């Protein structure tokens, strides 16, 4: 793989930076229409019961399930919120702001909403330098919506692939002729090397920074877990969430309900780990995810 040395790229004059430190934030919120489970043993448990048993388990990290829960509520579907993962700082996070302030890249490649959120914090700390961004799909692009609607023109979301996967992004990212084309790829520690290898094979020079990682939540309430195990569908948005769910099931072979995945990458991980009833949309995103959940519910005669 061809990796790009930062010293080989023309530095930019260092802009003024914010004195505030870069952090990953998590917030706890509860919706009156769901059953909630705490992700930490040090946090008091809060359980709010729906009129009927939940049909779907929403497993994204705390505070990021609201859109899915609201979309399913529009179909009359009750959800249980059971965060399975949480994000923590990656080893290269502290370098991201300085790299952005000192170095110019032809592309910044962002492949998940969390990668986008972490990038934006560092980009602001770096003084909002001009950047051109390629995103993997609509869900990731939505992280930048507020900035794109403002008068700030220094951040340009300029590319999304024809199919929202890392492999297709790496094969389709525009390259300007034969000139050297540089890419910054802020990623999860657990992300595969598919993107940088695909880009490098096309002649791009890639700098990957592992800015965050995902880990299982510290604690899952057993009463909530029992309700989750009986729900017809578990909705997952990452391979990490699939692995966390498998680790919670004492006998995976005896659990025969369905997993609805946000996209093909997560679905492939679910199948590799032995889950049988796996549903996913051809195009990742909220609308397709909801469609796959509805399909799984119909298969269970639960919708």
């Amino acid at each position: 793989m061809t990796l790009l040395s930062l010293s080989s790229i023309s530095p930019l004059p260092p802009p003024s930076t914010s004195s505030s430190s870069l952090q990953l934030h998590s917030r706890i919120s509860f919706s009156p229409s769901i059953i909630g489970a705490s992700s930490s043993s040090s946090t008091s448990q809060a359980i709010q019961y729906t009129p009927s048993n939940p049909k779907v388990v929403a497993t994204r990290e705390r505070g990021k399930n609201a859109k899915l829960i609201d979309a399913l509520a529009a179909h009359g579907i009750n959800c249980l919120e059971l965060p399975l993962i949480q994000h923590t700082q990656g080893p290269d996070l502290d370098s991201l702001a300085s790299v952005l302030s000192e170095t110019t890249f032809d592309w910044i490649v962002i492949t998940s909403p969390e990668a986008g959120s972490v990038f934006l914090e560092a980009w602001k700390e770096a003084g909002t330098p001009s950047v051109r961004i390629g995103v993997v799909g609509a869900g990731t692009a939505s992280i930048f919506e507020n900035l794109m609607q403002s008068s700030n023109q220094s951040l340009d979301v300029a590319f999304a692939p024809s199919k929202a996967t890392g492999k297709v992004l790496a094969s389709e990212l525009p390259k300007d002729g034969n000139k050297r084309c540089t890419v910054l790829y802020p990623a999860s520690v657990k992300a595969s090397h598919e993107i940088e290898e695909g880009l490098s094979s096309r002649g791009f020079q890639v700098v990957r920074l592992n800015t965050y990682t995902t880990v299982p939540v510290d604690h899952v309430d057993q009463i909530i877990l029992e309700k989750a195990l009986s729900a017809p569908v578990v909705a997952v948005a990452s391979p990490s969430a699939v692995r966390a769910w498998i680790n919670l099931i004492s006998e995976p072979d005896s659990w025969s309900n369905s997993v609805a995945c946000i996209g093909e990458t997560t679905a492939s991980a679910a199948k590799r780990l032995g889950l049988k009833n796996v549903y996913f949309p051809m195009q990742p995103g909220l609308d397709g995810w909801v469609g796959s959940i509805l399909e799984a519910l119909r298969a269970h005669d639960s919708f």
Side-chain angles (χ1 to χ4, degrees):
M1 183 195 310
T2 302
L3 291 180
L4 181 62
S5 168
L6 292 177
S7 61
S8 68
I9 307 174
S10 302
L12 294 175
S16 60
T17 59
S18 167
S19 60
S20 62
S21 61
L22 183 63
Q23 297 179 339
L24 296 181
H25 300 283
S26 62
R27 58 188 179 88
I28 297 177
S29 60
F30 295 101
S31 166
S33 64
I34 63 172
I35 300 172
S38 170
S39 63
S40 171
S41 57
S42 63
T43 304
S44 61
Q45 302 297 315
I47 305 176
Q48 295 170 317
Y49 290 94
T50 59
S52 59
N53 291 331
K55 301 292 187 183
V56 177
V57 183
T59 64
R60 272 185 157 168
E61 57 273 25
R62 177 70 65 193
K64 296 186 178 179
N65 289 300
K67 288 183 178 179
L68 178 63
I69 290 168
D70 290 345
L72 292 171
H75 294 275
I77 297 168
N78 293 323
C79 291
L80 181 153
E81 184 175 21
L82 178 64
L84 293 178
I85 60 169
Q86 56 193 347
H87 291 125
T88 61
Q89 179 173 320
D92 299 327
L93 178 60
D94 291 338
S95 303
L96 181 56
S98 60
V99 168
L100 287 169
S101 64
E102 296 169 2
T103 311
T104 183
F105 294 89
D106 294 296
W107 288 102
I108 313 290
V109 168
I110 305 293
T111 58
S112 73
E114 184 63 21
S117 297
V118 173
F119 167 80
L120 281 177
E121 291 284 348
W123 176 73
K124 292 171 184 175
E125 185 179 340
T128 65
S130 294
V131 291
R132 184 171 61 159
I133 293 177
V135 296
V136 75
T140 301
S142 67
I143 296 298
F144 303 99
E145 279 180 358
N146 290 339
L147 279 172
M148 296 301 292
Q149 292 170 1
S150 73
S151 58
N152 191 318
Q153 299 298 314
S154 62
L155 188 149
D156 178 22
V157 179
F159 172 77
S162 59
K163 185 177 182 181
T165 68
K167 182 177 181 179
V168 177
L169 185 151
S171 69
E172 293 182 352
L173 188 71
K175 189 172 185 290
D176 300 330
N178 294 321
K179 81 176 189 69
R180 184 180 70 170
C181 197
T182 57
V183 174
L184 175 64
Y185 175 35
S188 165
V189 170
K190 295 183 178 179
S192 74
H193 297 283
E194 182 176 61
I195 286 178
E196 65 260 41
E197 289 175 353
L199 290 172
S200 296
S201 70
R202 294 179 55 211
F204 287 90
Q205 295 177 292
V206 182
V207 172
R208 171 172 172 160
L209 295 180
N210 291 321
T211 57
Y212 74 99
T213 190
T214 54
V215 296
V217 294
D218 300 324
H219 173 75
V220 172
D221 183 271
Q222 290 304 303
I223 295 175
I224 301 299
L225 178 57
E226 287 177 11
K227 291 183 177 292
L229 288 168
S230 65
V233 178
V234 174
V236 290
S238 68
S240 294
V242 175
R243 288 189 290 269
W245 178 248
I246 291 290
N247 290 336
L248 285 175
I249 303 174
S250 57
E251 298 179 4
D253 292 340
S254 65
W255 185 78
S256 60
N257 290 349
S258 295
V259 173
C261 303
I262 197 170
E264 184 177 353
T265 300
T266 303
S268 296
K271 292 175 182 178
R272 282 197 308 272
L273 290 168
L275 296 177
K276 302 295 191 297
N277 302 315
V278 179
Y279 296 80
F280 66 96
M282 294 308 298
Q283 283 291 347
L286 181 62
D287 291 342
W289 197 13
V290 169
S292 293
I293 291 169
L294 298 180
E295 182 183 356
L297 287 171
R298 291 188 190 101
H300 278 264
D301 294 325
S302 298
F303 179 66

